[in-house]
Amino acid sequence: MAFKIAYLYLKRQSRTGSGKRMARNKRHVEQKIKREEIEAVAMALFKEQGYEKTSMSSVAKAAGVAANTIYWYYANKDDLLIAVLNREVMQAMPQVIAMQNAPLTERVLKLIEQFESSGSLMTDVHSRVSHSEVVRNWHDRFHQMVEQLSVSELIKAGLEPAAAQLDARLMVYVIEGLLAHPHTMEERVQVVEHALGKLV
């Protein structure tokens, strides 16, 4: 259930984009399609070149729009980064939700695998947190969402709510650490199993 609530939350976030709700008409549909194209191109360029080296004009050119037109959709590059991140998480959540009856270790590993597909974007988020309010707000909401998911799962596994709150935060740090540092799949499984063994 917690996974479904998180999925619906992110779905609402991605639908509203940077907070501007548009009328649902033909123009809205065209803008939605163009947004999807721009975000797909931006994701590819962010992964290939890195966030810092990717300019808004290069994204616009690759997406087939005029350099100034891209600012109709996104206020700046951080706004585009957030749109891309929401898109990635939205695509990952259905697969995680589908595993809600699987063992907890398998679900955590699947969650890491899905976030890993975004390449260095989570590292980019951390590098931008102290420079961008919009990125900091997204990062805080993302942490809250993952923590709430973890709390729900840990309570289901038998922990008291007070203990689950702190242990969920520790689990978020474990997940972020695995995403940020190179390791083998065997090491990942060992770390997740060990962490959950200590918590549950």
Side-chain angles (χ1 to χ4, degrees):
M1 183 63 179
F3 283 101
K4 288 182 180 178
I5 292 170
Y7 175 73
L8 292 172
Y9 166 78
L10 285 166
K11 193 171 184 179
R12 187 173 69 250
Q13 287 293 111
S14 66
R15 214 172 39 228
T16 58
S18 57
K20 299 173 184 175
R21 191 178 290 274
M22 294 175 286
R24 295 190 174 279
N25 52 30
K26 183 179 178 183
R27 182 164 176 256
H28 168 80
V29 172
E30 290 171 352
Q31 288 179 333
K32 181 176 183 292
I33 292 170
K34 182 51 69 177
R35 274 182 174 272
E36 290 173 353
E37 291 172 357
I38 292 170
E39 288 162 18
V41 165
M43 168 56 86
L45 290 176
F46 288 158
K47 284 183 177 179
E48 181 184 337
Q49 302 174 172
Y51 175 81
E52 291 297 333
K53 292 183 179 178
T54 301
S55 66
M56 289 289 273
S57 59
S58 66
V59 174
K61 182 177 180 182
V65 299
N68 63 333
T69 301
I70 196 169
Y71 292 100
W72 295 355
Y73 300 94
Y74 309 96
N76 50 48
K77 193 163 68 166
D78 284 335
D79 194 36
L80 177 57
L81 173 63
I82 296 311
V84 168
L85 287 164
N86 280 337
R87 180 185 178 88
E88 284 293 290
V89 177
M90 278 291 297
Q91 291 175 348
M93 287 306 292
Q95 294 189 50
V96 177
I97 291 170
M99 292 183 66
Q100 60 186 317
N101 294 322
L104 185 54
T105 300
E106 287 183 28
R107 279 179 282 156
V108 172
L109 290 169
K110 173 58 74 173
L111 193 66
I112 295 171
E113 178 190 324
Q114 292 298 318
F115 291 149
E116 193 174 40
S117 69
S118 64
S120 65
L121 288 185
M122 293 306 287
T123 303
D124 292 327
V125 166
H126 288 130
S127 71
R128 295 294 302 156
V129 161
S130 60
H131 304 286
S132 168
E133 184 178 357
V134 68
V135 174
R136 184 169 60 253
N137 288 340
W138 185 92
H139 176 264
D140 290 347
R141 288 195 306 270
F142 180 78
H143 258 257
Q144 289 167 7
M145 181 197 75
V146 177
E147 280 185 29
Q148 287 307 309
L149 290 175
S150 301
V151 166
S152 175
E153 293 300 318
L154 291 171
I155 289 174
K156 275 197 328 188
L159 269 70
E160 292 296 321
Q165 192 72 48
L166 183 58
D167 287 346
R169 188 162 298 176
L170 290 173
M171 200 63 220
V172 171
Y173 294 150
V174 168
I175 292 170
E176 284 196 327
L178 288 169
L179 287 168
H181 299 285
H183 55 271
T184 66
M185 182 56 67
E186 182 180 358
E187 289 170 335
R188 176 181 298 182
V189 172
Q190 288 174 345
V191 168
V192 170
E193 288 181 341
H194 182 75
L196 289 174
K198 291 287 186 182
L199 299 179
V200 179

